[in-house]
Amino acid sequence: MENEDQPRLRSVVSFVKRGGRMTVGQQRAWDELWPDLGRTVGELPAGKLDFAAWFGREAPVLVEIGSGMGETTSQLAAAAPELNYVAVEVYDPGLGQLMLRAEKLGVENLRLLHGDAVVLLTEHVEPGSLHGVRLFFPDPWPKKKHHKRRIVSPSFAALVASRLAPGGTFHMATDWENYAEQMLEVCSAEPALKNRYDGWAPRPEWRPVTKFEQRADVEGRVSHDLIFEKR
């Protein structure tokens, strides 16, 4: 039986492990670029990950959960060279494609982690250390019976809040109305977080339009952004 005092330690799983067949380019990225750019969450040494040593510099650390195929992540990292940008993803070809995109853009401030973001935050990130966490268009698990698999839950909001530095931001976006409402309700109820806006945040001009947003627009769904900050 799940311990109600430790709900975040359950294995959600908030994602589906997708292997997928990689292209020649993606496989090259894994062979040539991954040794320097990437690590596997499940293989990290016990304790907190030394991001400054990994990046070779001291800089604010931002974690993006679910980088997909990397089309926006690579652009966001390139646009913020002052950040140590960390992308967490479970999809092998997606990480391969992200490395290719970053290579093409000449991005040097990006590192990749393959595995569960909840495990990463819980076991390997120092409390109060993150500049920000981004969660753009997570798996919506649209069927009601699957809503419990959604990553944004009270325990997850508490976990993210505990890892943010004061003033650090938790920025979410989704095109599923009831998930957006769930995100708003859950994060508004977390004492360590406060909404920067009265409800939805205006869509930031700096956030590239994703394929999910384009598809949502075609299908008549409205995308919502939410930006909470650590008190």
Side-chain angles (χ1 to χ4, degrees):
M1 183 175 178
E2 182 178 302
N3 182 344
E4 293 181 358
D5 294 327
Q6 295 179 310
R8 72 171 180 241
L9 299 183
R10 64 177 179 163
S11 179
V12 172
V13 169
S14 57
F15 57 85
V16 174
K17 178 66 175 71
R18 301 180 179 93
R21 181 173 295 177
M22 286 188 281
T23 66
V24 172
Q26 291 163 359
Q27 186 61 57
R28 179 188 69 79
W30 273 92
D31 294 340
E32 298 179 6
L33 304 177
W34 180 259
D36 291 327
L37 299 181
R39 296 185 182 180
T40 299
V41 173
E43 297 175 359
L44 291 174
K48 306 309 176 187
L49 179 54
D50 188 342
F51 288 107
W54 192 13
F55 280 86
R57 66 172 189 171
E58 291 279 356
V61 177
L62 187 144
V63 173
E64 181 180 337
I65 299 171
S67 52
M69 296 302 288
E71 61 266 40
T72 59
T73 304
S74 54
Q75 296 176 58
L76 290 170
E82 74 280 5
L83 297 178
N84 284 348
Y85 206 106
V86 180
V88 189
E89 176 58 58
V90 297
Y91 185 45
D92 299 11
L95 287 167
Q97 194 63 37
L98 172 55
M99 286 185 278
L100 293 177
R101 295 179 192 276
E103 181 183 46
K104 185 175 182 180
L105 292 174
V107 176
E108 297 182 351
N109 63 319
L110 177 67
R111 299 293 184 271
L112 287 64
L113 282 157
H114 180 262
D116 190 341
V118 172
V119 174
L120 172 71
L121 293 174
T122 302
E123 300 180 8
H124 303 293
V125 174
E126 196 75 35
S129 65
L130 297 180
H131 172 77
V133 173
R134 290 175 178 168
L135 180 68
F136 295 156
F137 301 92
D139 195 326
W141 295 103
K143 293 182 179 180
K144 190 171 182 178
K145 66 180 181 179
H146 291 153
H147 284 186
K148 62 185 178 182
R149 297 190 178 189
R150 290 174 170 176
I151 190 170
V152 179
S153 65
S155 59
F156 181 73
L159 175 60
V160 170
S162 72
R163 269 41 184 177
L164 290 173
T169 57
F170 181 25
H171 185 174
M172 297 158 282
T174 182
D175 57 302
W176 289 86
E177 184 77 23
N178 62 8
Y179 200 1
E181 292 170 351
Q182 177 181 328
M183 291 174 172
L184 178 59
E185 179 181 357
V186 165
C187 292
S188 296
E190 170 50 51
L193 296 174
K194 64 177 180 179
N195 196 340
R196 278 195 171 178
Y197 299 90
D198 183 15
W200 314 124
R203 189 196 185 287
E205 293 183 0
W206 50 260
R207 182 167 66 72
V209 177
T210 68
K211 291 180 180 179
F212 291 105
E213 280 186 283
Q214 294 171 351
R215 185 187 310 159
D217 185 59
V218 170
E219 296 176 359
R221 293 194 306 278
V222 177
S223 295
H224 293 295
D225 281 74
L226 286 161
I227 303 176
F228 281 77
E229 67 177 56
K230 176 73 172 287
R231 294 184 186 276

